[in-house]
Amino acid sequence: NWDFIREAFDEKRMFVASIHNCAIGFLTWHNSTDLTIKIDICEVKPTHRKQGVLKELMLYAFSTFEDQGIQAVELQCAPASSEVVWKKLGFMDFPATNGRTNWDGGNKRLYKTVFPSSEFFSGNPDAETIELWNDEPHRTQHTPANWHWKLDFIENTRQLRNPIIHPCLGDWKIRWKRGGTVIKEDKAKYFLKNIVHGNFLILRSLPLRTDAD
């Protein structure tokens, strides 16, 4: 991967951990979209593993990503033994499309949000909510949503206090409800403009009504 690593270094897509000017670990990435990042390679020198080096790299990386307005980070878990380490750092399984796999090229996919996301919700049917399924609309006609969010807006605005940031493919079904009434339901990629970014749903605001109202 030296050519790839050199390219990342030249394009300033690399963080390096060092002691006394000697590199002991590095991380490379690329922008999947303007709001999402994919980690490509992350290595720590064997003699310096289990010493918090990776944690420091990730803290620095996420601080930088936050300053850039990045919302979410994803990676392929390779080798498989690294899954335990990534999950200790807060990464989670990328949900699979119903009945399929969340593996990519033989490697498990993980993700972590950079900013706090709205919490999952179940309860009050009168609340204004977003629901998401991990499959296409025609395959989910008689199944409950996989995820629910209660919309909590900043006072006198339609801006969410915490955005909804969640893995989502463009063909997955999404539904917007208010007071138990369906406002809109469609594939995520057709639902509203600029809410699907690569493999993520990033919803930061909603209009009072749809264009069809």
Side-chain angles (χ1 to χ4, degrees):
N1 292 315
W2 280 113
D3 289 341
F4 189 88
I5 292 169
R6 186 179 296 110
E7 180 181 349
F9 180 84
D10 291 341
E11 296 178 358
K12 301 186 185 328
R13 294 185 288 103
M14 174 185 284
F15 300 124
V16 178
S18 65
I19 296 178
H20 306 305
N21 292 322
C22 179
I24 59 172
F26 71 93
L27 179 154
T28 70
W29 79 93
H30 71 271
N31 284 79
S32 299
T33 71
D34 57 338
L35 295 178
T36 63
I37 289 283
K38 184 171 183 179
I39 293 175
D40 297 310
I41 304 174
C42 186
E43 288 285 347
V44 175
K45 195 174 181 179
T47 53
H48 289 77
R49 291 174 184 170
K50 298 183 180 180
Q51 297 178 23
V53 177
L54 178 57
K55 181 178 180 180
E56 290 300 319
L57 271 172
M58 294 307 300
L59 286 173
Y60 186 84
F62 270 68
S63 176
T64 303
F65 297 155
E66 182 176 349
D67 291 342
Q68 295 174 351
I70 298 300
Q71 304 289 305
V73 176
E74 62 180 310
L75 57 85
Q76 291 186 41
C77 190
S81 58
S82 67
E83 180 179 351
V84 173
V85 178
W86 288 117
K87 287 190 172 178
K88 284 182 179 179
L89 294 171
F91 281 79
M92 297 175 284
D93 290 342
F94 200 105
T97 298
N98 188 27
R100 300 173 199 172
T101 178
N102 73 339
W103 291 52
D104 185 5
N107 300 313
K108 196 171 187 180
R109 299 165 66 193
L110 303 178
Y111 80 97
K112 183 178 181 181
T113 64
V114 177
F115 290 89
S117 175
S118 291
E119 295 182 357
F120 299 129
F121 166 82
S122 62
N124 182 6
D126 295 327
E128 189 169 353
T129 60
I130 289 290
E131 300 174 339
L132 180 67
W133 285 255
N134 66 340
D135 213 334
E136 299 183 44
H138 74 277
R139 295 168 58 94
T140 57
Q141 295 178 3
H142 305 293
T143 58
N146 298 88
W147 304 281
H148 305 252
W149 294 271
K150 180 181 178 181
L151 302 180
D152 181 19
F153 298 104
I154 297 172
E155 188 175 359
N156 298 321
T157 76
R158 295 292 291 176
Q159 188 84 18
L160 293 171
R161 293 188 187 277
N162 287 318
I164 295 173
I165 309 171
H166 195 268
C168 176
L169 301 185
D171 286 334
W172 286 5
K173 175 182 173 181
I174 186 170
R175 177 188 288 162
W176 171 18
K177 292 173 66 176
R178 185 187 296 138
T181 300
V182 176
I183 305 300
K184 187 168 185 178
E185 177 180 301
D186 209 333
K187 290 185 177 182
K189 62 186 178 183
Y190 302 133
F191 185 71
L192 292 171
K193 291 182 179 179
N194 300 321
I195 65 167
V196 177
H197 298 263
N199 294 319
F200 291 91
L201 168 68
I202 301 176
L203 186 61
R204 294 181 283 190
S205 64
L206 274 168
L208 278 172
R209 55 185 62 85
T210 65
D211 292 340
D213 290 340

